Every structure is written in C-alpha cells, then in structure tokens.
Amino acid sequence: RERRRAQCDRGPYVRAFTQEPESTRLSNSAVARFTWMADPPYLDLAPPPRIALADPKPFLAALSARPWFFQRLSELDAVEMWALVAMCALSRRELADDVRSDVLGDNTSSVGRFAHAVGFSNAQVGTNIDASQPAKTVAIQRVRLGQPSAKVAREIAGLAVPGVDEEDSRDALAYVLDELLRNVLQHSGDALGAVVGAQRMDAGKGGYSRATVQIAVADTGRGILESLRRNHAISTADVAVEMALRPHISGTFAEGQTGSLDNAGLGLFFTSEMAKLTAGRFLLASRGAAVFLPGDEEGGTHTIELFSPEGFPGTLAVFELPLEIKDRDALLEVIRGRASQQAPAHSRRWLSYEAPPEGLPRVLVGDLLEDTGNLPTRVESYRAAIAAGQPHVFDFAGIPVLTQSAVHALLFHSVRVGWAMGVKVYVEHASPAVRSGLDYFESYAL
C-alpha cells in the first residue's frame, strides 16, 4: 500500500491509506480509508535545519510533538549520524501504519547523499549493507534479537577506531556499545531490535576540537518509564530517565536488590560515567523525557540537563567518546569504584583463581558469548550442574575486557548457588580488566 498525507489550509489533517499498487500515484478521490484527527499528527517534522548533538532539544521536541511525521532529507542543511539513526528507527518499513513515519532520501542534497552513503534507505527496509568507511562512518544497520551484542559492538568499534595506537579507545567504545545494545535487546520489547550507526568526527571540523566517535542506538519499544515501573514506583518519564543512570536500577528487579538472573542494572550507569570521566557527551531520550550530559572539555567536567516532554518514541541513546583514552582498565576501575559507593558492599568471595583440579567441565567464555541465542539455556545448565555439586572452570582466554552486564549474565546465579552449596567456581586466564570486573561483581552478587 502507498501511504499519502493530505492537509487542509485551516482544518484537521488526514492520514490516508490506499489499496492500489505501490507504483500507482492516486488522487485524494482514490482514498479507501482515512481517519480525521482532532490535532494534526502527520505533519512535516519541521526540525532545525542543522541537527547536531551540541543542541539536541529542538530535534527531540519536533519528534515528541508528532506521533508520526513526514520528512524529506533534502530539506535539511546538515544532520549528524545520531539523528539519521533516530529517523531510520522510526521509519522502518515493518512498523505498523499508525506508528511508522515517512523519511525520504535522495541524491540531490548533501544530507541525502550522506544518508545514502551510510545505508539509510537499506536499513529502513531491513537490508544491512557493507557501506562503512573505516575511521569515518559505520553504516546504519539493524541489530536483531539473538545477535551477539558483544561481537557486533567489537565490529563497529573496529571500523570506527581502526588505528593500532587506539586500542584503549576502541575497547572503551565497544564496551559502551555492547551495554547499549544489550539494553535494547533485553528490555525494549521492540520485536525489530535496534538501529545503530557510528560516525567519527575529526578534530577541527564540525565544532569538534578533539577526534571523537559518535555512536547511536535507537528502538521503538516500550520506553524507560514502562520498563522501570514494572518493579519501581515511578509515575513520570523525567524521574525514570534520571533514575536509569543510577547503578543497580533495572525493570527486572526491585530497588535495593543488586541483580536478577541476567541483569545488574549497570549498563547506563557505566555509559554515563564514562561520558563524565572523558568529558564526552551522552544523550538518553525515551518516551516523555530525556537526560543530556554535555561534556565541558576545557574544565574536564560535565553538566546534566533534563528535558520534558522532549523525548523519543521509544528509546534513543547517543554517546560521544573523545579518542584520548590511554588506560582503559583504569577508567573502568574508577567507574566500578563509583558504583561500589552506591551499592551494598560485602566481603564474601567465592570465585577461585587457583589452578583447578584436572577433569573439571570447562566453559570457554569467548565461545559462549558468540552463542547468544542459546546463552540463557547454557548458563542455566552450568548453574544446575553446580547446584548438583559439580565444580566448573570459566576460561576467559582471549577476552581483554568484558562488560559488567556480560559478567553478571554469565555468573550471577552460578556463583550464588556455588557459594550456598559449597561448590567451587574456578576462573582462568582473566585479564586484569576482566579480573577487576569479576571482583566488583562479587562485591554485590553475594
């Protein structure tokens, strides 16, 4: 079906649907079904002509004012990657007619050509293409349920930050992107998954004084308020987005607890803290509200801005990382320390780093993380075996750094059951960064 919009000079607006072939251009007389609206929801988006993360509020306000909209990219003067990701998520072809927006690209403008080059229209229809330009842009793409988020995050980070001397920045970027993707795939309820893209900004261009990578993840799911209120007494979206940045806050367990089977409520906290420590920028927008952390580059500090009702019809997360990180492990250690200050601390330890006895079942964590579809089943099998008295070895060989969310999902119940039953859980080949994450995990898991 072809969707068309019709408007009167002074009256309600109509969103029309036809039953003619897509190639047929129909007049208003051929409309088969239409709905009159008291307010005009299907308008041109009317965003600012230049959309940049330096000032996201006008764009968010335009999105929030219209349940669905029409936009020609040729009408915009400049658009950063994060806004293209946002509009792509809202215009995915599989979305229902009453929520899908129309965003049209072309090759007649610089914005239209940029969108085409980064695969905007292909991502709209669900076709991921290899249009990335290393050290410049990572093509807009879909990440669907069941895909290994850690693998996708590493691939995107590798394209955006390919330099051999940029390893720490690349790992930090992959860490954040993995956390953001996990949030979407686990909690949004969006059956289409996430839309993601990345762009590298050179120093001295576009208002950036430092080389910076911008990543964006968007969905059209239930939003943060609906996710959190399942286990928290929250009634407004602005409270929800602010609360989502605290450690151990999740819609899967009540406040005061430190985790459920596969979630520790740490992903957005780690992301926002990394933005603060690097004087980067972080935007989290959801249904009805948004929180924005613009970095103060000169002072090395940050401020926090709360927008309401400016939000996003789903959830949009945008993170900018200045490519200046020289010690990734130290950065993550500082963030874990901040999380520890806001969470109950315990002195119990159960993971063992001594040489395990011969013949114990061995879990290759690297392989396990690639098998996302079977991850819950396999993790449950380890927990059941440990509960039955069988010690296990978790081998972290080849993993330089692992998100706190991944550590939690792998070990939360196994370690708790092992401690309760007196059955050892051994760890081998853990890098210093992974060991630090495991230590923090034990500080709250037991």
Side-chain angles (χ1 to χ4, degrees), residues 177-326:
L177 186 54
D178 188 8
E179 292 284 20
L180 295 178
L181 289 174
R182 281 174 173 272
N183 267 315
V184 173
L185 300 179
Q186 291 180 0
H187 307 301
S188 74
D190 189 338
L192 298 180
V195 176
V196 60
Q199 181 178 9
R200 182 162 174 161
M201 317 293 192
D202 292 332
K205 296 182 179 180
Y208 288 83
S209 61
R210 301 177 292 175
T212 301
V213 171
Q214 178 187 98
I215 57 174
V217 179
D219 67 74
T220 53
R222 63 174 61 93
I224 293 173
L225 175 59
E226 288 304 313
S227 179
L228 290 184
R229 74 192 323 171
R230 290 178 293 175
N231 277 292
H232 301 273
I234 305 174
S235 58
T236 61
D238 54 345
V239 173
V241 294
E242 186 277 329
M243 191 172 181
L245 302 187
R246 303 177 194 172
H248 300 293
I249 295 294
S250 170
T252 62
F253 54 86
E255 191 169 0
Q257 299 179 4
T258 53
S260 60
L261 176 60
D262 62 354
N263 190 274
L266 290 167
L268 293 177
F269 173 78
F270 267 69
T271 301
S272 61
E273 291 300 308
M274 191 175 295
K276 295 174 187 177
L277 289 168
T278 60
R281 291 190 285 212
F282 178 53
L283 171 68
L284 179 65
S286 192
R287 297 183 182 274
V291 61
F292 182 44
L293 280 66
D296 179 356
E297 185 179 328
E298 292 185 2
T301 60
H302 71 282
T303 57
I304 298 178
E305 300 176 16
L306 189 63
F307 307 146
S308 182
E310 296 85 3
F312 184 77
T315 299
L316 168 67
V318 187
F319 176 79
E320 284 189 341
L321 180 73
L323 299 179
E324 299 175 343
I325 297 177
K326 301 302 182 184

